Amino acid sequence: LYIVPTPIGNLEDITIRSLNILKNSDLILCEDTRRTSILLNHYSIKKKLVSFNKDNEIKKIDKVLGLLETNIISLVSDAGTPTVSDPGSKLVRKLIEEDIQVIPLPGASSITTAFSASGLNDNFLFVGFLPKNENDLRKNLINLNQINKDIIIFESPKRIKKFLEISRKIFLNSNLIIFKELTKINEKIILLKPEDSLPNINFDKGEFVIIIENKESENIIGNYNDEVIVNKLKELLDLKFTGKDSIRIVSNYLGVNQKKIYNMYLNNF
């Protein structure tokens, strides 16, 4: 099985090797056959396309194993490197367990494309898409705020504004770098500082990559009154964090001694 990256926007962003593998494949597993057809038609490649997406991946794995006995098969996603926030990882894991050769090809990835234009160093954490539920999103972002790494996140146009609103309240001192429609005609890269208003762009269309530049360590120790600490504890407890985790997170977040927070937790909760 060949894992073949495809362009994330500009159809010219595909390697010669990837094109040759696609030309020599007996069939191609596609997230969306219509999207893949656009790319193949552009390069005059005619191959059998098989739908292989998040809804049918599990039930098609055994069929793919059978086809691999006599066929050269490529796996592609709609854009970028397959299995990274896209279908295919379960199939790949099964092939590894069955000692069937998996051959990954290097190529387009919105993760490395965005990070290369961020001006940041190499200490980052990629988390893909975060939960849609608002409480789950808040809880995930609070947990991520405890990690001393820059964070790369994917977000859809339907949720991008809400995501930015929530993340800016949690990562108070952090810059956010917004990448909109990378490699496409309307590509935009925007540095959003904590004091900045949201940029005047169309958030309702396009793919978004967000990098949160984690700077929470800049909080000044001890500059918070009791009411702020109690409210922050309540916020975490309401999100179903344990008392122990809530105390630890508030201590890290506000820079307040854990013993003081522990006593306030006992007195108020």
Side-chain angles (χ1 to χ4, degrees), residues 25-220:
S25 295
D26 296 306
L27 61 91
I28 301 171
L29 304 178
C30 313
E31 190 176 359
D32 185 330
T33 57
R34 294 165 298 181
R35 290 282 296 272
T36 301
S37 292
I38 295 172
L39 174 67
L40 297 183
N41 290 337
H42 183 78
Y43 288 101
S44 301
I45 299 173
K46 297 186 182 298
K47 290 294 170 180
K48 180 180 180 181
L49 305 183
V50 176
S51 172
F52 191 83
N53 52 51
K54 63 179 181 177
D55 297 320
N56 64 24
E57 177 177 1
I58 293 176
K59 66 182 180 182
K60 285 195 174 183
I61 287 177
D62 289 339
K63 181 179 179 180
V64 173
L65 262 66
L67 290 168
L68 279 167
E69 294 178 6
T70 55
N71 294 275
I72 298 172
I73 300 178
S74 291
L75 170 69
V76 301
S77 59
D78 285 348
T81 301
T83 82
V84 181
S85 291
D86 283 325
S89 58
K90 295 180 179 65
L91 170 63
V92 170
R93 185 55 181 263
K94 181 67 174 178
L95 296 184
I96 292 172
E97 290 173 351
E98 297 287 334
D99 199 25
I100 297 172
Q101 189 174 14
V102 176
I103 303 175
L105 277 62
S109 168
S110 57
I111 303 165
T112 51
T113 301
F115 202 77
S116 71
S118 69
L120 301 174
N121 210 324
D122 57 358
N123 188 23
F124 70 84
L125 175 69
F126 169 66
V127 296
F129 288 97
L130 291 178
K132 297 178 182 180
N133 177 274
E134 187 170 322
N135 280 347
D136 291 339
L137 172 60
R138 289 180 186 276
K139 191 168 184 177
N140 271 262
L141 287 171
I142 289 168
N143 279 324
L144 290 170
N145 191 36
Q146 307 306 303
I147 301 171
N148 187 28
K149 293 179 183 292
D150 300 317
I151 300 159
I152 303 180
I153 296 166
F154 290 160
E155 194 50 278
S156 75
K158 293 180 180 178
R159 301 189 299 271
I160 182 66
K161 281 189 174 180
K162 177 61 69 174
F163 168 81
L164 292 172
E165 175 188 326
I166 293 172
S167 60
R168 296 183 84 187
K169 290 179 180 177
I170 293 171
F171 291 84
L172 296 174
N173 299 324
S174 297
N175 296 326
L176 273 64
I177 310 174
I178 303 170
F179 299 85
K180 182 179 188 292
E181 299 194 75
L182 282 169
T183 78
K184 297 181 181 179
I185 295 174
N186 296 317
E187 173 184 273
K188 292 187 183 298
I189 302 175
I190 299 160
L191 175 63
L192 187 64
K193 296 180 180 180
E195 65 272 19
D196 292 341
S197 301
L198 286 184
N200 184 24
I201 62 172
N202 181 10
F203 283 105
D204 298 324
K205 184 179 180 181
E207 292 84 26
F208 291 88
V209 180
I210 310 297
I211 298 181
I212 301 175
E213 186 179 356
N214 198 338
K215 290 186 176 181
E216 287 306 321
S217 60
E218 294 179 2
N219 281 323
I220 300 173

